Amino acid sequence: MELKLRENCKYAIVVPTSMGVRICPMNGQPVQASDTFFMQATSAESNVVSIASYLGMKTKVLTTFVKGSPIADFIKRNLRSRGIDYEGAEVEQGGPWGYRHQFNIADSGYGTRGPRVCNDRAGEVGRTLNIKDFDTDRIFGEEGVQILHLSGLIGALSEDTSRFCLELARAAKKYGTLVSFDLNYRASFWKGREEELHAIFTEIASVADILIGNEEDFQLALGAKGPEAGGHDVSKIDSFKGMIGEVKKSFPNASVFATTLRQVKDVNTHVWGAILLAGDEWHIAEPREITVLDRIGGGDGFVGGMLYAILKQWEPEKWVQFGWATGALATTFLTDYAQPADEEQVWSVWGGNARVKR
């Protein structure tokens, strides 16, 4: 099958996101035992578009910044280094107790000691994302976008960001832009807003062309019927297939459904797979063992690679293969986003070719 992509667009992918920083101890050490940390600019959504950006496509994030903040400057410099354009309001900090960019404090774990992540999002400036700060007619109409990728993390961050994602989806469809929606259900984000968010997520999903999520995402975010939620378990291929068959009936606009599969043997050894439904045909990257340096960002890498393959208009079989490979590649970096050198490197990962290239 082939998704109909807009032509003559400035941007291949545009994403709304809340940028922050991630600080990690070095050499796999735990946070409480460390005094030296590596800091990187991060967000799940910018991780996704990094694949296309490093491989030469034009991408953009829609976000917000704390005006005059050195952390905001750090983030902007990082986005420029990745070749990612950015656009967003500059929000006054409002004093020491005001706005800031989120901090993600995480170690990568080692062996039998699992990674631990602490999200410090108090005062997060990204929660102020508002449709009034963006000219959607310019972005989607004049500049042009082939794929708008939305994440449920941003969709549930605040009332403003929920409305923002919904309005972006409506604007994208108005101009013929494909909509990709990674449900990314988080119970802590939904607490007290279940009815409101279910309605918003359902409307976004109803106009989406590409839906991404595991059993828990589809059941808890969209109310889909299915077996007991099993996360990304590699044994859940058949149950996922059955549930997607039911989801398609409720969301007939979507023609692509995808999820990743993961079994953790230990921190540094995972069994990694993926499933993709394109039209009526299933494509599976059978789970196989990969070596992991840092697992964070693997799922984002999969989505980024899959969207890149769609933009390249390859056959659907290659969508899941390239996504599997960019997801696996992401877990070999200290950054939580993959930085592919070229397509050949990605296909070497898929082919299991780790020999030196001279």
Side-chain angles (χ1 to χ4, degrees), residues 149-210:
H149 177 67
L150 300 171
S151 166
L153 297 175
I154 304 303
L157 198 57
S158 70
E159 290 184 11
D160 280 343
T161 65
S162 300
R163 179 60 53 182
F164 179 52
C165 288
L166 180 57
E167 292 299 332
L168 283 178
R170 289 171 175 170
K173 297 308 291 184
K174 174 183 175 182
Y175 286 103
T177 294
L178 295 180
V179 175
S180 168
F181 188 24
D182 188 346
L183 296 168
N184 268 328
Y185 174 86
R186 294 290 186 275
S188 58
F189 285 22
W190 280 60
K191 188 174 182 181
R193 300 179 63 204
E194 289 86 356
E195 185 175 343
E196 170 203 358
L197 288 176
H198 174 72
I200 288 173
F201 274 51
T202 298
E203 183 172 346
I204 295 174
S206 70
V207 300
D209 302 278
I210 303 162

CSV table of all heavy atoms in Angstrom, one decimal, residues 149-210:
chain,number,residue,atom,x,y,z
A,149,HIS,N,3.4,14.6,13.4
A,149,HIS,CA,3.5,13.5,14.3
A,149,HIS,C,3.1,14.1,15.7
A,149,HIS,O,3.7,15.0,16.2
A,149,HIS,CB,4.9,12.9,14.4
A,149,HIS,CG,5.0,11.8,15.4
A,149,HIS,ND1,4.4,10.6,15.3
A,149,HIS,CD2,5.7,11.8,16.6
A,149,HIS,CE1,4.6,9.9,16.4
A,149,HIS,NE2,5.4,10.6,17.2
A,150,LEU,N,2.1,13.4,16.3
A,150,LEU,CA,1.7,13.8,17.7
A,150,LEU,C,1.9,12.7,18.7
A,150,LEU,O,1.8,11.5,18.3
A,150,LEU,CB,0.1,14.1,17.6
A,150,LEU,CG,-0.3,15.2,16.7
A,150,LEU,CD1,-1.8,15.2,16.6
A,150,LEU,CD2,0.2,16.6,17.1
A,151,SER,N,2.2,13.1,19.9
A,151,SER,CA,2.5,12.2,21.0
A,151,SER,C,1.4,12.4,22.1
A,151,SER,O,1.1,13.6,22.4
A,151,SER,CB,3.9,12.4,21.6
A,151,SER,OG,4.0,11.7,22.8
A,152,GLY,N,0.9,11.3,22.6
A,152,GLY,CA,0.0,11.4,23.7
A,152,GLY,C,0.6,12.0,25.0
A,152,GLY,O,-0.1,12.5,25.9
A,153,LEU,N,2.0,12.0,25.1
A,153,LEU,CA,2.6,12.7,26.2
A,153,LEU,C,2.3,14.2,26.2
A,153,LEU,O,2.0,14.8,27.2
A,153,LEU,CB,4.1,12.5,26.1
A,153,LEU,CG,4.6,11.1,26.3
A,153,LEU,CD1,6.1,11.0,26.1
A,153,LEU,CD2,4.2,10.5,27.6
A,154,ILE,N,2.4,14.8,25.0
A,154,ILE,CA,2.1,16.2,24.8
A,154,ILE,C,0.6,16.4,24.9
A,154,ILE,O,0.1,17.4,25.5
A,154,ILE,CB,2.7,16.8,23.5
A,154,ILE,CG1,4.2,16.6,23.5
A,154,ILE,CG2,2.4,18.3,23.4
A,154,ILE,CD1,5.0,17.1,24.7
A,155,GLY,N,-0.2,15.5,24.3
A,155,GLY,CA,-1.6,15.6,24.3
A,155,GLY,C,-2.2,15.6,25.7
A,155,GLY,O,-3.3,16.2,25.8
A,156,ALA,N,-1.6,15.1,26.6
A,156,ALA,CA,-2.1,15.0,28.0
A,156,ALA,C,-1.4,15.9,29.0
A,156,ALA,O,-1.7,15.8,30.2
A,156,ALA,CB,-2.1,13.5,28.5
A,157,LEU,N,-0.4,16.7,28.6
A,157,LEU,CA,0.4,17.4,29.5
A,157,LEU,C,-0.3,18.5,30.2
A,157,LEU,O,-0.1,18.7,31.4
A,157,LEU,CB,1.6,18.1,28.7
A,157,LEU,CG,2.8,18.5,29.4
A,157,LEU,CD1,3.4,17.4,30.2
A,157,LEU,CD2,3.8,19.1,28.5
A,158,SER,N,-1.3,19.2,29.6
A,158,SER,CA,-2.1,20.2,30.2
A,158,SER,C,-3.3,20.4,29.4
A,158,SER,O,-3.4,19.9,28.2
A,158,SER,CB,-1.3,21.5,30.4
A,158,SER,OG,-1.1,22.1,29.1
A,159,GLU,N,-4.3,21.2,29.9
A,159,GLU,CA,-5.5,21.5,29.1
A,159,GLU,C,-5.1,22.3,27.8
A,159,GLU,O,-5.6,22.1,26.7
A,159,GLU,CB,-6.5,22.3,29.9
A,159,GLU,CG,-7.1,21.5,31.0
A,159,GLU,CD,-8.2,22.3,31.7
A,159,GLU,OE1,-8.5,23.4,31.3
A,159,GLU,OE2,-8.7,21.9,32.8
A,160,ASP,N,-4.1,23.2,27.9
A,160,ASP,CA,-3.6,23.9,26.8
A,160,ASP,C,-3.0,23.0,25.7
A,160,ASP,O,-3.3,23.1,24.5
A,160,ASP,CB,-2.6,25.0,27.2
A,160,ASP,CG,-3.3,26.3,27.7
A,160,ASP,OD1,-4.5,26.4,27.5
A,160,ASP,OD2,-2.6,27.0,28.4
A,161,THR,N,-2.1,22.1,26.2
A,161,THR,CA,-1.5,21.3,25.2
A,161,THR,C,-2.4,20.2,24.5
A,161,THR,O,-2.2,19.9,23.4
A,161,THR,CB,-0.3,20.5,25.8
A,161,THR,OG1,-0.7,19.6,26.8
A,161,THR,CG2,0.7,21.5,26.4
A,162,SER,N,-3.4,19.8,25.3
A,162,SER,CA,-4.4,18.9,24.7
A,162,SER,C,-5.2,19.6,23.6
A,162,SER,O,-5.3,19.0,22.5
A,162,SER,CB,-5.4,18.5,25.8
A,162,SER,OG,-4.8,17.8,26.9
A,163,ARG,N,-5.6,20.8,23.8
A,163,ARG,CA,-6.3,21.6,22.8
A,163,ARG,C,-5.4,21.9,21.6
A,163,ARG,O,-5.8,21.9,20.5
A,163,ARG,CB,-6.9,22.9,23.4
A,163,ARG,CG,-7.6,23.8,22.5
A,163,ARG,CD,-8.8,23.2,21.8
A,163,ARG,NE,-9.7,22.6,22.8
A,163,ARG,CZ,-10.8,21.9,22.5
A,163,ARG,NH1,-11.1,21.8,21.2
A,163,ARG,NH2,-11.6,21.4,23.5
A,164,PHE,N,-4.1,22.2,21.9
A,164,PHE,CA,-3.1,22.5,20.9
A,164,PHE,C,-2.9,21.3,20.0
A,164,PHE,O,-3.0,21.5,18.7
A,164,PHE,CB,-1.8,22.8,21.6
A,164,PHE,CG,-0.6,23.1,20.7
A,164,PHE,CD1,-0.7,24.1,19.7
A,164,PHE,CD2,0.6,22.4,20.8
A,164,PHE,CE1,0.3,24.4,18.9
A,164,PHE,CE2,1.7,22.7,20.0
A,164,PHE,CZ,1.5,23.7,19.0
A,165,CYS,N,-2.8,20.1,20.5
A,165,CYS,CA,-2.6,18.9,19.6
A,165,CYS,C,-3.9,18.7,18.8
A,165,CYS,O,-3.8,18.3,17.6
A,165,CYS,CB,-2.3,17.7,20.5
A,165,CYS,SG,-0.6,17.7,21.2
A,166,LEU,N,-5.0,18.9,19.4
A,166,LEU,CA,-6.3,18.7,18.6
A,166,LEU,C,-6.4,19.7,17.5
A,166,LEU,O,-6.7,19.3,16.3
A,166,LEU,CB,-7.5,18.8,19.6
A,166,LEU,CG,-8.8,18.6,18.9
A,166,LEU,CD1,-9.0,17.3,18.3
A,166,LEU,CD2,-9.9,18.8,20.0
A,167,GLU,N,-6.1,20.9,17.7
A,167,GLU,CA,-6.2,21.9,16.7
A,167,GLU,C,-5.1,21.7,15.6
A,167,GLU,O,-5.4,22.0,14.4
A,167,GLU,CB,-6.0,23.3,17.3
A,167,GLU,CG,-7.2,23.8,18.2
A,167,GLU,CD,-8.5,23.8,17.5
A,167,GLU,OE1,-8.5,24.1,16.2
A,167,GLU,OE2,-9.5,23.6,18.1
A,168,LEU,N,-3.9,21.3,16.0
A,168,LEU,CA,-2.9,20.9,15.0
A,168,LEU,C,-3.4,19.8,14.1
A,168,LEU,O,-3.2,19.9,12.9
A,168,LEU,CB,-1.6,20.5,15.7
A,168,LEU,CG,-0.7,21.6,16.3
A,168,LEU,CD1,0.5,21.0,16.9
A,168,LEU,CD2,-0.3,22.6,15.2
A,169,ALA,N,-4.0,18.8,14.7
A,169,ALA,CA,-4.5,17.7,13.9
A,169,ALA,C,-5.6,18.2,12.9
A,169,ALA,O,-5.6,17.8,11.7
A,169,ALA,CB,-5.1,16.6,14.8
A,170,ARG,N,-6.4,19.0,13.3
A,170,ARG,CA,-7.5,19.6,12.4
A,170,ARG,C,-6.9,20.4,11.3
A,170,ARG,O,-7.3,20.3,10.1
A,170,ARG,CB,-8.4,20.4,13.2
A,170,ARG,CG,-9.3,19.7,14.2
A,170,ARG,CD,-10.1,20.6,15.1
A,170,ARG,NE,-11.1,19.9,16.0
A,170,ARG,CZ,-11.7,20.4,17.0
A,170,ARG,NH1,-11.5,21.7,17.3
A,170,ARG,NH2,-12.6,19.7,17.7
A,171,ALA,N,-5.9,21.2,11.6
A,171,ALA,CA,-5.2,22.0,10.6
A,171,ALA,C,-4.5,21.2,9.6
A,171,ALA,O,-4.5,21.5,8.4
A,171,ALA,CB,-4.2,23.0,11.3
A,172,ALA,N,-3.8,20.1,10.1
A,172,ALA,CA,-3.1,19.2,9.2
A,172,ALA,C,-4.0,18.6,8.2
A,172,ALA,O,-3.7,18.6,7.0
A,172,ALA,CB,-2.4,18.2,10.0
A,173,LYS,N,-5.2,18.1,8.7
A,173,LYS,CA,-6.1,17.5,7.8
A,173,LYS,C,-6.7,18.5,6.8
A,173,LYS,O,-6.9,18.1,5.6
A,173,LYS,CB,-7.2,16.8,8.6
A,173,LYS,CG,-6.8,15.7,9.5
A,173,LYS,CD,-5.9,14.7,8.8
A,173,LYS,CE,-6.7,13.8,7.8
A,173,LYS,NZ,-5.8,12.7,7.3
A,174,LYS,N,-6.8,19.7,7.2
A,174,LYS,CA,-7.4,20.7,6.3
A,174,LYS,C,-6.5,20.9,5.0
A,174,LYS,O,-7.0,21.1,3.9
A,174,LYS,CB,-7.5,22.1,7.0
A,174,LYS,CG,-7.8,23.3,6.2
A,174,LYS,CD,-7.8,24.5,7.0
A,174,LYS,CE,-8.1,25.8,6.2
A,174,LYS,NZ,-8.0,27.0,7.0
A,175,TYR,N,-5.2,20.7,5.2
A,175,TYR,CA,-4.2,20.9,4.1
A,175,TYR,C,-3.7,19.6,3.5
A,175,TYR,O,-2.7,19.7,2.7
A,175,TYR,CB,-3.1,21.8,4.6
A,175,TYR,CG,-3.5,23.3,4.8
A,175,TYR,CD1,-3.7,23.8,6.0
A,175,TYR,CD2,-3.6,24.1,3.7
A,175,TYR,CE1,-4.1,25.1,6.2
A,175,TYR,CE2,-4.0,25.4,3.8
A,175,TYR,CZ,-4.2,25.9,5.1
A,175,TYR,OH,-4.6,27.2,5.2
A,176,GLY,N,-4.2,18.5,3.9
A,176,GLY,CA,-3.8,17.2,3.3
A,176,GLY,C,-2.5,16.6,3.9
A,176,GLY,O,-1.9,15.8,3.3
A,177,THR,N,-2.1,17.1,5.1
A,177,THR,CA,-1.0,16.5,5.8
A,177,THR,C,-1.3,15.2,6.5
A,177,THR,O,-2.4,15.2,7.1
A,177,THR,CB,-0.4,17.5,6.8
A,177,THR,OG1,0.1,18.7,6.1
A,177,THR,CG2,0.7,16.9,7.7
A,178,LEU,N,-0.5,14.2,6.3
A,178,LEU,CA,-0.8,13.0,7.1
A,178,LEU,C,-0.6,13.2,8.6
A,178,LEU,O,0.3,14.0,9.0
A,178,LEU,CB,0.2,11.9,6.6
A,178,LEU,CG,0.1,11.4,5.2
A,178,LEU,CD1,1.1,10.3,4.9
A,178,LEU,CD2,-1.3,10.9,4.9
A,179,VAL,N,-1.4,12.5,9.4
A,179,VAL,CA,-1.3,12.6,10.8
A,179,VAL,C,-0.8,11.3,11.4
A,179,VAL,O,-1.5,10.3,11.2
A,179,VAL,CB,-2.6,13.1,11.4
A,179,VAL,CG1,-2.5,13.1,13.0
A,179,VAL,CG2,-3.0,14.5,11.0
A,180,SER,N,0.2,11.3,12.2
A,180,SER,CA,0.8,10.2,12.9
A,180,SER,C,0.5,10.4,14.4
A,180,SER,O,0.8,11.5,14.9
A,180,SER,CB,2.2,10.0,12.6
A,180,SER,OG,2.8,9.1,13.5
A,181,PHE,N,0.0,9.5,15.1
A,181,PHE,CA,-0.4,9.6,16.5
A,181,PHE,C,0.1,8.5,17.3
A,181,PHE,O,-0.3,7.3,17.2
A,181,PHE,CB,-1.9,9.8,16.6
A,181,PHE,CG,-2.4,10.1,18.0
A,181,PHE,CD1,-1.6,10.8,18.9
A,181,PHE,CD2,-3.7,9.8,18.4
A,181,PHE,CE1,-2.1,11.2,20.2
A,181,PHE,CE2,-4.2,10.2,19.6
A,181,PHE,CZ,-3.4,10.9,20.5
A,182,ASP,N,1.1,8.7,18.2
A,182,ASP,CA,1.6,7.8,19.1
A,182,ASP,C,0.9,8.0,20.4
A,182,ASP,O,1.1,9.0,21.1
A,182,ASP,CB,3.2,7.9,19.3
A,182,ASP,CG,3.8,6.8,20.1
A,182,ASP,OD1,3.0,6.1,20.8
A,182,ASP,OD2,5.0,6.7,20.1
A,183,LEU,N,0.1,7.1,20.9
A,183,LEU,CA,-0.9,7.3,22.0
A,183,LEU,C,-0.1,7.6,23.3
A,183,LEU,O,-0.6,8.4,24.1
A,183,LEU,CB,-1.8,6.1,22.1
A,183,LEU,CG,-2.7,5.9,20.9
A,183,LEU,CD1,-3.4,4.5,21.0
A,183,LEU,CD2,-3.8,7.0,20.8
A,184,ASN,N,0.9,6.8,23.6
A,184,ASN,CA,1.8,7.1,24.8
A,184,ASN,C,0.9,7.4,26.0
A,184,ASN,O,1.1,8.4,26.7
A,184,ASN,CB,2.7,8.3,24.5
A,184,ASN,CG,4.0,7.8,24.0
A,184,ASN,OD1,4.5,6.7,24.3
A,184,ASN,ND2,4.6,8.6,23.1
A,185,TYR,N,0.1,6.5,26.4
A,185,TYR,CA,-0.8,6.7,27.6
A,185,TYR,C,0.1,6.7,28.9
A,185,TYR,O,0.9,5.8,29.0
A,185,TYR,CB,-1.8,5.5,27.7
A,185,TYR,CG,-2.6,5.6,29.0
A,185,TYR,CD1,-3.8,6.3,29.0
A,185,TYR,CD2,-2.2,4.8,30.1
A,185,TYR,CE1,-4.5,6.4,30.2
A,185,TYR,CE2,-3.0,4.8,31.2
A,185,TYR,CZ,-4.1,5.6,31.3
A,185,TYR,OH,-4.9,5.6,32.5
A,186,ARG,N,-0.2,7.7,29.7
A,186,ARG,CA,0.5,7.8,31.0
A,186,ARG,C,-0.6,8.0,32.1
A,186,ARG,O,-1.2,9.1,32.1
A,186,ARG,CB,1.5,8.9,31.1
A,186,ARG,CG,2.7,8.7,30.2
A,186,ARG,CD,3.6,7.6,30.7
A,186,ARG,NE,4.8,7.5,29.9
A,186,ARG,CZ,4.9,6.8,28.7
A,186,ARG,NH1,3.9,6.2,28.2
A,186,ARG,NH2,6.1,6.8,28.0
A,187,ALA,N,-0.8,7.1,33.0
A,187,ALA,CA,-1.9,7.2,34.0
A,187,ALA,C,-1.7,8.4,34.8
A,187,ALA,O,-2.7,9.1,35.1
A,187,ALA,CB,-1.9,5.9,34.9
A,188,SER,N,-0.5,8.8,35.2
A,188,SER,CA,-0.3,10.0,36.0
A,188,SER,C,-0.8,11.3,35.3
A,188,SER,O,-1.2,12.2,36.0
A,188,SER,CB,1.1,10.1,36.5
A,188,SER,OG,2.0,10.2,35.3
A,189,PHE,N,-0.6,11.3,34.0
A,189,PHE,CA,-1.1,12.5,33.2
A,189,PHE,C,-2.6,12.6,33.1
A,189,PHE,O,-3.2,13.6,33.0
A,189,PHE,CB,-0.5,12.5,31.8
A,189,PHE,CG,1.0,12.8,31.8
A,189,PHE,CD1,1.8,12.7,32.9
A,189,PHE,CD2,1.6,13.2,30.6
A,189,PHE,CE1,3.2,13.0,32.8
A,189,PHE,CE2,2.9,13.5,30.5
A,189,PHE,CZ,3.7,13.4,31.6
A,190,TRP,N,-3.2,11.4,33.1
A,190,TRP,CA,-4.7,11.3,32.9
A,190,TRP,C,-5.5,11.5,34.2
A,190,TRP,O,-6.7,11.7,34.1
A,190,TRP,CB,-5.0,10.0,32.2
A,190,TRP,CG,-4.7,9.9,30.8
A,190,TRP,CD1,-3.5,10.1,30.1
A,190,TRP,CD2,-5.7,9.6,29.7
A,190,TRP,NE1,-3.7,10.0,28.8
A,190,TRP,CE2,-5.0,9.7,28.5
A,190,TRP,CE3,-7.0,9.4,29.7
A,190,TRP,CZ2,-5.6,9.5,27.3
A,190,TRP,CZ3,-7.7,9.1,28.5
A,190,TRP,CH2,-7.0,9.2,27.3
A,191,LYS,N,-4.9,11.4,35.3
A,191,LYS,CA,-5.6,11.4,36.6
A,191,LYS,C,-6.5,12.6,36.7
A,191,LYS,O,-6.0,13.7,36.6
A,191,LYS,CB,-4.6,11.3,37.8
A,191,LYS,CG,-5.3,11.1,39.1
A,191,LYS,CD,-4.3,10.9,40.2
A,191,LYS,CE,-5.0,10.7,41.5
A,191,LYS,NZ,-4.0,10.5,42.6
A,192,GLY,N,-7.8,12.4,36.9
A,192,GLY,CA,-8.7,13.5,37.1
A,192,GLY,C,-9.2,14.1,35.7
A,192,GLY,O,-10.1,15.0,35.7
A,193,ARG,N,-8.7,13.6,34.6
A,193,ARG,CA,-9.0,14.2,33.3
A,193,ARG,C,-9.5,13.1,32.3
A,193,ARG,O,-9.5,13.3,31.1
A,193,ARG,CB,-7.9,15.0,32.7
A,193,ARG,CG,-7.3,16.1,33.5
A,193,ARG,CD,-6.2,16.8,32.8
A,193,ARG,NE,-6.6,17.4,31.5
A,193,ARG,CZ,-5.7,17.6,30.5
A,193,ARG,NH1,-4.4,17.3,30.6
A,193,ARG,NH2,-6.2,18.1,29.4
A,194,GLU,N,-9.8,11.9,32.8
A,194,GLU,CA,-10.0,10.8,32.0
A,194,GLU,C,-11.1,11.0,30.9
A,194,GLU,O,-10.9,10.7,29.7
A,194,GLU,CB,-10.5,9.6,32.9
A,194,GLU,CG,-9.4,9.0,33.7
A,194,GLU,CD,-9.2,9.7,35.1
A,194,GLU,OE1,-9.9,10.7,35.3
A,194,GLU,OE2,-8.4,9.2,35.9
A,195,GLU,N,-12.2,11.6,31.3
A,195,GLU,CA,-13.3,11.8,30.3
A,195,GLU,C,-12.9,12.8,29.2
A,195,GLU,O,-13.1,12.6,28.0
A,195,GLU,CB,-14.6,12.3,31.0
A,195,GLU,CG,-15.8,12.4,30.1
A,195,GLU,CD,-17.1,12.7,30.9
A,195,GLU,OE1,-17.1,12.6,32.1
A,195,GLU,OE2,-18.0,13.1,30.2
A,196,GLU,N,-12.3,13.9,29.7
A,196,GLU,CA,-11.9,15.0,28.7
A,196,GLU,C,-10.8,14.4,27.8
A,196,GLU,O,-10.9,14.6,26.5
A,196,GLU,CB,-11.3,16.1,29.6
A,196,GLU,CG,-10.6,17.2,28.7
A,196,GLU,CD,-9.5,17.9,29.6
A,196,GLU,OE1,-9.4,17.7,30.8
A,196,GLU,OE2,-8.9,18.8,29.0
A,197,LEU,N,-9.8,13.7,28.3
A,197,LEU,CA,-8.7,13.2,27.4
A,197,LEU,C,-9.2,12.1,26.5
A,197,LEU,O,-8.7,12.0,25.4
A,197,LEU,CB,-7.5,12.8,28.3
A,197,LEU,CG,-6.8,14.0,28.9
A,197,LEU,CD1,-5.7,13.4,29.8
A,197,LEU,CD2,-6.2,14.9,27.9
A,198,HIS,N,-10.1,11.3,27.0
A,198,HIS,CA,-10.6,10.2,26.1
A,198,HIS,C,-11.3,10.8,24.9
A,198,HIS,O,-11.1,10.4,23.8
A,198,HIS,CB,-11.6,9.3,26.9
A,198,HIS,CG,-12.3,8.3,26.0
A,198,HIS,ND1,-11.6,7.2,25.5
A,198,HIS,CD2,-13.6,8.3,25.5
A,198,HIS,CE1,-12.5,6.5,24.8
A,198,HIS,NE2,-13.6,7.1,24.8
A,199,ALA,N,-12.0,11.9,25.1
A,199,ALA,CA,-12.7,12.5,24.0
A,199,ALA,C,-11.7,13.2,23.0
A,199,ALA,O,-11.9,13.0,21.8
A,199,ALA,CB,-13.7,13.6,24.5
A,200,ILE,N,-10.7,13.8,23.5
A,200,ILE,CA,-9.7,14.5,22.7
A,200,ILE,C,-8.9,13.4,21.9
A,200,ILE,O,-8.7,13.6,20.7
A,200,ILE,CB,-8.8,15.4,23.5
A,200,ILE,CG1,-9.6,16.6,24.0
A,200,ILE,CG2,-7.6,15.8,22.7
A,200,ILE,CD1,-8.9,17.6,24.9
A,201,PHE,N,-8.4,12.4,22.6
A,201,PHE,CA,-7.6,11.4,22.0
A,201,PHE,C,-8.4,10.7,20.9
A,201,PHE,O,-7.9,10.3,19.9
A,201,PHE,CB,-7.1,10.4,23.0
A,201,PHE,CG,-5.8,10.8,23.7
A,201,PHE,CD1,-5.6,12.1,24.2
A,201,PHE,CD2,-4.7,10.0,23.7
A,201,PHE,CE1,-4.5,12.5,24.8
A,201,PHE,CE2,-3.5,10.3,24.3
A,201,PHE,CZ,-3.4,11.6,24.9
A,202,THR,N,-9.7,10.4,21.2
A,202,THR,CA,-10.5,9.8,20.2
A,202,THR,C,-10.7,10.6,19.0
A,202,THR,O,-10.7,10.1,17.8
A,202,THR,CB,-11.9,9.5,20.8
A,202,THR,OG1,-11.8,8.6,22.0
A,202,THR,CG2,-12.9,8.8,19.8
A,203,GLU,N,-10.9,11.9,19.1
A,203,GLU,CA,-11.0,12.8,17.9
A,203,GLU,C,-9.7,12.8,17.1
A,203,GLU,O,-9.7,12.7,15.9
A,203,GLU,CB,-11.4,14.2,18.3
A,203,GLU,CG,-11.6,15.0,17.1
A,203,GLU,CD,-12.2,16.4,17.3
A,203,GLU,OE1,-12.7,16.6,18.5
A,203,GLU,OE2,-12.2,17.3,16.4
A,204,ILE,N,-8.6,12.9,17.8
A,204,ILE,CA,-7.3,12.9,17.1
A,204,ILE,C,-7.1,11.6,16.4
A,204,ILE,O,-6.7,11.5,15.2
A,204,ILE,CB,-6.1,13.2,18.1
A,204,ILE,CG1,-6.2,14.6,18.6
A,204,ILE,CG2,-4.8,13.0,17.3
A,204,ILE,CD1,-5.1,14.9,19.7
A,205,ALA,N,-7.4,10.5,17.1
A,205,ALA,CA,-7.2,9.2,16.4
A,205,ALA,C,-8.2,9.0,15.2
A,205,ALA,O,-7.8,8.3,14.3
A,205,ALA,CB,-7.5,8.1,17.5
A,206,SER,N,-9.3,9.6,15.3
A,206,SER,CA,-10.3,9.5,14.2
A,206,SER,C,-9.8,10.1,12.9
A,206,SER,O,-10.3,9.8,11.8
A,206,SER,CB,-11.6,10.1,14.6
A,206,SER,OG,-11.6,11.5,14.7
A,207,VAL,N,-8.9,11.1,13.0
A,207,VAL,CA,-8.3,11.7,11.8
A,207,VAL,C,-6.9,11.3,11.5
A,207,VAL,O,-6.3,11.6,10.4
A,207,VAL,CB,-8.3,13.3,11.9
A,207,VAL,CG1,-9.8,13.8,12.0
A,207,VAL,CG2,-7.4,13.8,13.0
A,208,ALA,N,-6.4,10.4,12.3
A,208,ALA,CA,-5.0,10.0,12.1
A,208,ALA,C,-4.9,8.9,11.0
A,208,ALA,O,-5.8,8.1,10.8
A,208,ALA,CB,-4.5,9.3,13.4
A,209,ASP,N,-3.8,9.0,10.3
A,209,ASP,CA,-3.5,8.0,9.2
A,209,ASP,C,-2.6,6.9,9.8
A,209,ASP,O,-2.7,5.8,9.2
A,209,ASP,CB,-2.8,8.7,8.1
A,209,ASP,CG,-3.6,9.9,7.5
A,209,ASP,OD1,-4.5,9.6,6.7
A,209,ASP,OD2,-3.3,11.0,7.9
A,210,ILE,N,-1.9,7.2,10.8
A,210,ILE,CA,-0.9,6.2,11.4
A,210,ILE,C,-1.2,6.3,12.9
A,210,ILE,O,-1.1,7.3,13.5
A,210,ILE,CB,0.5,6.6,11.1
A,210,ILE,CG1,0.8,6.8,9.6
A,210,ILE,CG2,1.5,5.7,11.7
A,210,ILE,CD1,2.0,7.5,9.2
